[in-house]
Amino acid sequence: MTSGRQHDHWEAVYAAKADAEVSWYQEHSEQSLQLVRQVSPDRRSSIIDVGGGASRLVDDLLAEGYADITVLDIAETALARSRTRLADKANKVRWIAADITCWTPLRTWEIWHDRAVFHFLTEDKDQDAYIAALGAATLPGATAIIATFGLDGPDRCSGLPVQRYSATSLAARIGPHFSLASEASETHVTPWKARQHFVYAVLKRA
Ligand SMILES: C[S@@+](CC[C@H](N)C(=O)[O-])C[C@H]1O[C@@H](n2cnc3c(N)ncnc32)[C@H](O)[C@@H]1O
């Protein structure tokens, strides 16, 4: 799918559906929060939530005192929804509307978080572009927490095909600059009670 078509797809999804009408909705991103706390208890750590959409992870990170948070998403409508929900607190967050496969970061972050974005990149060139952005947006010592559908997870999401991974195959695809420090798995229950297996890879940049 070209970048323009991806943008249009995700804008249409967020324009048509309320938060709790999308399969990936979570009231609290417990697994992500737990991993962020583990890898960086220091609340001054910088965090970027890539493809954060309208996720409430940002709300919980703010509530826990994380002070340097950025949310990036291809869909401006999703970011606007989070900004509205957060009201005054939205000013504490940096918001970036961009396609991760053609984005040049202007700074670096200590923690890169992605839940259910990389798995939509099913073509090598898009995966390579994501990995290049990850490399440009981090320094040695940084951590990437990347969650995708597991090998026994669904093969589609939001009407699009996805690439499924184990933590090991995900680490192998991300490449030699990052090594698998730990992994977690989650059975996500959608708002309509379907069960989806996610794998979380915690990758440390050498
Ligand atoms: C399945 S949703 C997950 C949202 C959020 N991470 C969560 O867990 O609630 C995928 C998100 O990735 C965003 N997205 C898809 N392709 C993208 C791309 N190429 N660049 C940036 N964001 C993208 C979508 O707009 C959507 O918000």
Side-chain angles (χ1 to χ4, degrees):
M1 215 194 262
T2 64
S3 179
R5 280 178 60 205
Q6 281 187 41
H7 172 265
D8 294 350
H9 170 84
W10 289 104
E11 281 294 344
V13 167
Y14 283 108
K17 297 191 177 193
D19 285 5
E21 290 175 336
V22 295
S23 59
W24 55 91
Y25 173 73
Q26 294 178 300
E27 200 173 331
H28 297 284
S29 310
E30 289 297 348
Q31 185 61 79
S32 298
L33 266 178
Q34 195 183 317
L35 292 172
V36 169
R37 283 188 209 114
Q38 264 171 29
V39 302
S40 196
D42 183 348
R43 275 28 183 185
R44 290 168 302 182
S45 302
S46 51
I47 305 173
I48 181 164
D49 189 13
V50 173
S55 165
R56 289 153 195 241
L57 176 61
V58 60
D59 306 43
D60 288 334
L61 290 171
L62 284 169
E64 296 215 0
Y66 285 96
D68 184 351
I69 307 169
T70 302
V71 181
L72 177 149
D73 202 275
I74 199 170
E76 293 92 338
T77 305
L79 298 178
R81 195 175 289 176
S82 286
R83 293 173 88 134
T84 303
R85 188 182 66 242
L86 285 165
D88 289 351
K89 285 182 272 180
N91 296 327
K92 297 182 178 172
V93 178
R94 292 179 186 84
W95 306 93
I96 301 176
D99 179 341
I100 196 62
T101 64
C102 44
W103 171 62
T104 305
L106 298 175
R107 57 166 288 190
T108 57
W109 287 265
E110 290 161 289
I111 303 176
W112 170 288
H113 174 267
D114 158 3
R115 175 175 179 267
V117 184
F118 185 67
H119 71 188
F120 286 109
L121 307 179
T122 54
E123 292 182 22
D124 281 350
K125 68 172 178 34
D126 291 332
Q127 294 174 358
D128 289 344
Y130 175 107
I131 293 162
L134 169 61
T138 55
L139 294 170
T143 303
I145 301 168
I146 304 180
T148 68
F149 282 157
L151 294 175
D152 55 354
D155 58 6
R156 298 182 78 80
C157 178
S158 188
L160 302 174
V162 300
Q163 175 82 49
R164 296 173 292 185
Y165 295 91
S166 65
T168 310
S169 66
L170 182 52
R173 184 61 186 99
I174 295 299
H177 298 305
F178 285 82
S179 59
L180 185 60
S182 64
E183 61 182 271
S185 82
E186 174 187 55
T187 301
H188 170 63
V189 180
T190 70
W192 45 94
K193 308 293 180 219
R195 296 165 77 80
Q196 300 180 329
H197 177 215
F198 275 86
V199 63
Y200 288 70
V202 178
L203 304 160
K204 191 88 181 157
R205 182 162 170 181

